[in-house]
Amino acid sequence: MSFLEQTIFNHMETVRGITEKAIIRIPEEISDIIPEGFSNSIRWNFGHIAFVQEKLVFGISGEEMNVPMNYERLFGAGTKPADWTDTPPSFKEIASVLSEQKPRIKTFLHDRFHQKLPSPYTNRGGITFHTTGEAFLFGFYHEAMHMETIKRIYRSISSK
């Protein structure tokens, strides 16, 4: 494994570690509250992080995604808890998915950062990815953005 690849995987561990600590610290009983000014809940944001990372690494590469079947319906882009008909997974279940992704990502992406995707993938924000590495690295930004949203929702709930 190259030094750069190891550095990127270490960064993944750091970013995901922040997410994993947060899902343990935040009380699950407040996870479905959607404060005024927000369209999604804390539970939705954690599930969305797990689903999108799975899609960015495995799904758009043409590989089998290893998240529960209902994650796309619950946590895909454009979804919201107000539309849920399924019972959402517990924090414990989402935490397990978040933790389990790390070793699978390392194994899959080893020496594949420059591998071309089967076809370029453009996300809802208009960003186009051509390689597995581009998509994976965008996941850090995406995860951090949703962690900030989780913090803002938590502060909003806690201040009341």
Side-chain angles (χ1 to χ4, degrees):
M1 183 177 303
S2 74
F3 175 76
L4 181 57
E5 188 173 290
Q6 184 60 53
T7 301
I8 292 168
F9 287 143
N10 288 346
H11 187 65
M12 175 189 69
E13 292 283 351
T14 299
V15 171
R16 185 50 58 90
I18 292 166
T19 303
E20 290 173 314
K21 284 179 185 140
I23 201 168
I24 291 167
R25 269 193 336 266
I26 295 173
E28 187 165 8
E29 56 270 13
I30 67 164
S31 69
D32 295 312
I33 297 170
I34 303 172
E36 190 175 328
F38 294 91
S39 56
N40 287 306
S41 64
I42 290 171
R43 184 186 314 272
W44 182 89
N45 277 276
F46 280 125
H48 182 70
I49 289 168
F51 174 74
V52 169
Q53 186 68 307
E54 190 76 15
K55 184 173 180 175
L56 287 173
V57 174
F58 301 102
I60 68 174
S61 294
E63 299 292 318
E64 184 177 338
M65 291 180 30
N66 193 26
V67 293
M69 295 292 289
N70 65 349
Y71 268 47
E72 185 165 18
R73 242 184 351 269
L74 294 170
F75 306 121
T79 63
K80 58 186 183 292
D83 297 335
W84 286 352
T85 55
D86 297 6
T87 300
S90 69
F91 265 21
K92 185 176 181 181
E93 291 166 313
I94 296 170
S96 177
V97 170
L98 290 166
S99 176
E100 183 275 329
Q101 279 178 333
K102 295 179 298 186
R104 285 188 311 103
I105 288 170
K106 283 182 182 177
T107 299
F108 175 70
L109 284 180
H110 177 63
D111 287 334
R112 290 189 183 180
F113 279 87
H114 298 295
Q115 182 176 309
K116 294 268 187 219
L117 295 170
S119 59
Y121 174 78
T122 303
N123 70 9
R124 287 175 52 117
I127 300 168
T128 301
F129 307 111
H130 299 276
T131 66
T132 57
E134 288 173 343
F136 171 62
L137 291 173
F138 177 79
F140 295 142
Y141 166 79
H142 179 265
E143 189 158 338
M145 185 177 67
H146 282 280
M147 282 305 302
E148 181 58 28
T149 299
I150 288 167
K151 287 179 194 172
R152 288 177 43 235
I153 293 171
Y154 182 75
R155 277 197 300 266
S156 178
I157 293 167
S158 298
S159 71
K160 294 194 164 56

